[in-house]
Amino acid sequence: HVQLVESGGGSVQAGGSLRLFCTVSGFSIDDSDMGWFRQTPGNECELVSSISSDENTYYSNSVKGRFAISQDNAKNMVYLQMNSLKPEDTGVYYCAIDPATWMTAVQALGCQTRRGMNYWGQGTQVTVS
């Protein structure tokens, strides 16, 4: 059974930092792309960042230069370091395996439609005020 568990969310003032953690079990992340999506209060589902199996990274324009994705294959974990947080970063952040697979669906239907389903986590709330 594949399970992804996000943690590290919370409330922070603008300009602050948070680090999100994604713990993966039942699946080895070594050979997979991994990503972080976020569901905004305006109901937009955005791919914030991803990291490929050969560690190429992607960042949306809205977070480029402020966020950093990384992974630890030995621990089977993915991280998202978020710096210089802004109120518009507020949302529920989801960790996902093979993010490209879900892009079309979640952008049309929302991140929450994948919440807790195969290859997705339950999400962690980030609130920036």
Side-chain angles (χ1 to χ4, degrees):
H1 174 62
V2 179
Q3 189 173 24
L4 291 80
V5 178
E6 301 93 339
S7 60
S11 296
V12 65
Q13 289 190 336
S17 297
L18 284 173
R19 194 180 197 204
L20 303 186
F21 304 83
C22 174
T23 303
V24 182
S25 58
F27 184 91
S28 175
I29 69 172
D30 288 26
D31 297 320
S32 292
D33 298 346
M34 300 295 298
W36 288 94
F37 288 86
R38 72 181 172 197
Q39 181 77 41
T40 67
N43 260 350
E44 177 187 357
C45 183
E46 175 187 21
L47 177 63
V48 172
S49 182
S50 65
I51 183 166
S52 68
S53 56
D54 54 358
E55 301 196 4
N56 288 317
T57 56
Y58 160 82
Y59 298 97
S60 68
N61 287 335
S62 59
V63 307
K64 200 172 292 182
R66 301 187 296 120
F67 289 14
I69 190 170
S70 60
Q71 64 184 68
D72 185 330
N73 291 338
K75 295 183 178 179
N76 225 34
M77 292 184 68
V78 185
Y79 310 98
L80 187 67
Q81 179 66 43
M82 306 187 297
N83 300 325
S84 302
L85 282 162
K86 304 176 181 180
E88 51 264 43
D89 294 318
T90 294
V92 181
Y93 284 70
Y94 296 90
C95 179
I97 297 169
D98 197 10
T101 301
W102 320 110
M103 286 282 289
T104 302
V106 296
Q107 287 176 345
L109 302 174
C111 292
Q112 71 278 4
T113 57
R114 293 292 312 168
R115 182 176 181 268
M117 296 184 70
N118 221 16
Y119 290 13
W120 272 65
Q122 293 282 346
T124 186
Q125 176 71 45
V126 171
T127 303
V128 185
S129 59

